[in-house]
Amino acid sequence: MDVNESRPEPFAGEIVSGTTWSESTLGAIDEKDEHQNEYDVGGVDVEEASPTRRSPRPLRRTRSLDNIAPGNAEEKKYMVSFRMPHPSNPNPESSYNANRGRTNAASDARSDASTTDYNFVLDNYIEYADNTPIPRLRGKAERNKLLAAIHSSHWAVLCTIVTGGCFLTYAMVRHSPFLRADLSQAIVITIVIATFPEIAASSGAGAFAGMASDVAIPNFAWLALLALVTSAIWMLFHRFKILVGCGGRLGTCAFIAMNLTVALVAMPSGAVPWSLYGDSNRLWSGRIELVPSILSVLSSTFLSAAAGAVRLKSEIPLNPVAPSTTIALVCMLVLEPTGFVYTGQMDAGFAVGSFVGMASDQYLPTIPDFAGAGFISGLW
């Protein structure tokens, strides 16, 4: 979608005056001939090429919507509209004639009944702490206040998502099907990523807090308090852009919220024993097993390197939460049915690696950097 001003005509994929020109199925826009069909796409006549036409010019790659037009990318919005024929009338010729004024009113009515107009908005949303714009294609939500609030990351929506992520993760761990915490948080975050990626980080903050053990958070009443504290801290992180990257922000937010809830309220009230922070009689009594430790470190290294490779090699900026969580979830689901004796340790390594994979590429600019950070995190 790189606009070339020297080209006399718009080309496939170019955005002109807020309207997208698209190659209908086979080729780019060109001069008309008797073998071509014409469609109405968002008020712009777009032609479907005949099999004898030359191959379309390849689109130039771009890493940001900044290349589409000058100005602040996150404030730019482009309307993408097209008309889709119904299966009952797959031939768009009636639509073409209606738009050209070549039919009577009855034909116009039939044309309107046989087509459906779709409108999308192409814009950016800000997810990184360094204000990197991330492209998204979404439906229009001007008349739906809830969708508009989600797309704009309203504070009430973010707090609700944090609370929901916290409760869903905790419930899947403590109740049937009794999934492990690392698998539960990956499922919750992936569901949000697939629907509303602009609030995926908020769901991650809640999901990380929801991984708490039943010793620290014994019931849903204490979980509600934890969710409230997590929401408040996350709003501070979100509002003032505290920390760079997502893995550190989400983990730190959940860590602070957990310790404030437990140390300042739960422990003084007697609901949680003070020995939770450490029992001198059992301190350093555990022993590390070699094989599961190696597998956990390797899993963390692999996951962080894979997530870093996907993000760094992508042609457009990606949500930092999406690649890491999705790859981790796939690895966990593949490993789970095998019954491997060290599945839990490897899943823990995948989870740690996914957190590292959310880091800012300002500090981890290469794949070896991501792999090294994952290795050190796995050792820790």
Side-chain angles (χ1 to χ4, degrees):
M1 294 190 294
D2 187 47
V3 177
N4 189 342
E5 297 180 356
S6 63
R7 197 188 317 275
E9 297 180 3
F11 61 92
E14 181 178 353
I15 294 181
V16 181
S17 300
T19 305
T20 298
W21 295 72
S22 63
E23 47 178 349
S24 180
T25 48
L26 300 176
I29 298 175
D30 203 330
E31 297 179 358
K32 302 175 184 178
D33 59 47
E34 64 274 14
H35 301 292
Q36 299 168 0
N37 292 327
E38 198 168 311
Y39 299 81
D40 179 82
V41 181
V44 178
D45 291 331
V46 179
E47 303 165 6
E48 180 180 5
S50 66
T52 59
R53 300 183 63 181
R54 66 176 183 269
S55 299
R57 291 182 291 269
L59 301 181
R60 299 181 181 180
R61 294 179 175 180
T62 178
R63 291 191 61 83
S64 172
L65 287 179
D66 292 322
N67 292 2
I68 293 178
N72 194 353
E74 61 270 20
E75 297 179 356
K76 290 287 185 180
K77 293 183 180 179
Y78 299 90
M79 181 64 62
V80 182
S81 303
F82 65 93
R83 176 165 290 179
M84 178 71 70
H86 283 305
S88 59
N89 184 16
N91 186 2
E93 185 65 24
S94 60
S95 175
Y96 164 73
N97 291 333
N99 291 323
R100 293 298 184 184
R102 300 176 184 176
T103 58
N104 53 26
S107 298
D108 290 343
R110 288 194 300 271
S111 174
D112 293 338
S114 63
T115 60
T116 301
D117 292 328
Y118 295 91
N119 295 314
F120 296 92
V121 176
L122 178 62
D123 62 358
N124 286 316
Y125 69 94
I126 299 299
E127 186 61 61
Y128 289 167
D130 57 1
N131 291 329
T132 299
I134 303 176
R136 67 178 170 186
L137 182 65
R138 59 180 177 85
K140 292 183 63 179
E142 296 178 353
R143 298 181 180 180
N144 191 315
K145 294 183 178 180
L146 177 59
L147 288 178
I150 294 175
H151 293 321
S152 62
S153 298
H154 191 274
W155 67 268
V157 172
L158 298 185
C159 292
T160 302
I161 293 299
V162 170
T163 303
C166 189
F167 271 81
L168 284 175
T169 303
Y170 186 88
M172 286 193 292
V173 175
R174 306 303 162 202
H175 301 275
S176 180
F178 299 101
L179 301 177
R180 285 188 299 276
D182 43 28
L183 180 58
S184 299
Q185 61 86 22
I187 293 175
V188 171
I189 299 174
T190 302
I191 292 174
V192 178
I193 290 173
T195 50
F196 301 105
E198 55 267 35
I199 55 177
S202 300
S203 69
F208 287 7
M211 296 172 68
S213 68
D214 54 358
V215 177
I217 304 296
N219 53 51
F220 281 100
W222 288 107
L223 183 67
L225 177 61
L226 174 62
L228 178 63
V229 176
T230 305
S231 298
I233 296 176
W234 175 247
M235 289 311 303
L236 292 176
F237 276 58
H238 187 273
R239 172 66 178 83
F240 297 103
K241 302 293 183 182
I242 300 176
L243 301 180
V244 177
C246 271
R249 275 195 293 162
L250 301 180
T252 303
C253 176
F255 175 80
I256 295 175
M258 172 62 69
N259 281 274
L260 289 178
T261 303
V262 173
L264 298 183
V265 182
M267 286 181 173
S269 67
V272 176
W274 287 99
S275 60
L276 184 64
Y277 275 118
D279 187 350
S280 59
N281 296 325
R282 294 183 298 172
L283 193 62
W284 305 111
S285 61
R287 293 293 183 268
I288 297 178
E289 297 183 16
L290 182 61
V291 175
S293 299
I294 293 176
L295 291 176
S296 181
V297 173
L298 292 178
S299 300
S300 176
T301 304
F302 163 75
L303 205 292
S304 57
V310 171
R311 291 178 55 193
L312 295 175
K313 298 300 182 180
S314 174
E315 296 298 332
I316 61 173
L318 298 176
N319 187 309
V321 180
S324 300
T325 306
T326 304
I327 297 173
L329 179 59
V330 171
C331 293
M332 293 175 185
L333 293 179
V334 169
L335 187 62
E336 191 69 23
T338 64
F340 185 52
V341 64
Y342 298 124
T343 296
Q345 289 83 352
M346 292 189 67
D347 281 356
F350 289 140
V352 172
S354 70
F355 305 156
V356 176
M358 301 176 192
S360 172
D361 54 12
Q362 291 183 0
Y363 297 99
L364 300 178
T366 66
I367 298 176
D369 291 332
F370 274 94
F375 178 77
I376 295 174
S377 299
L379 288 177
W380 184 261

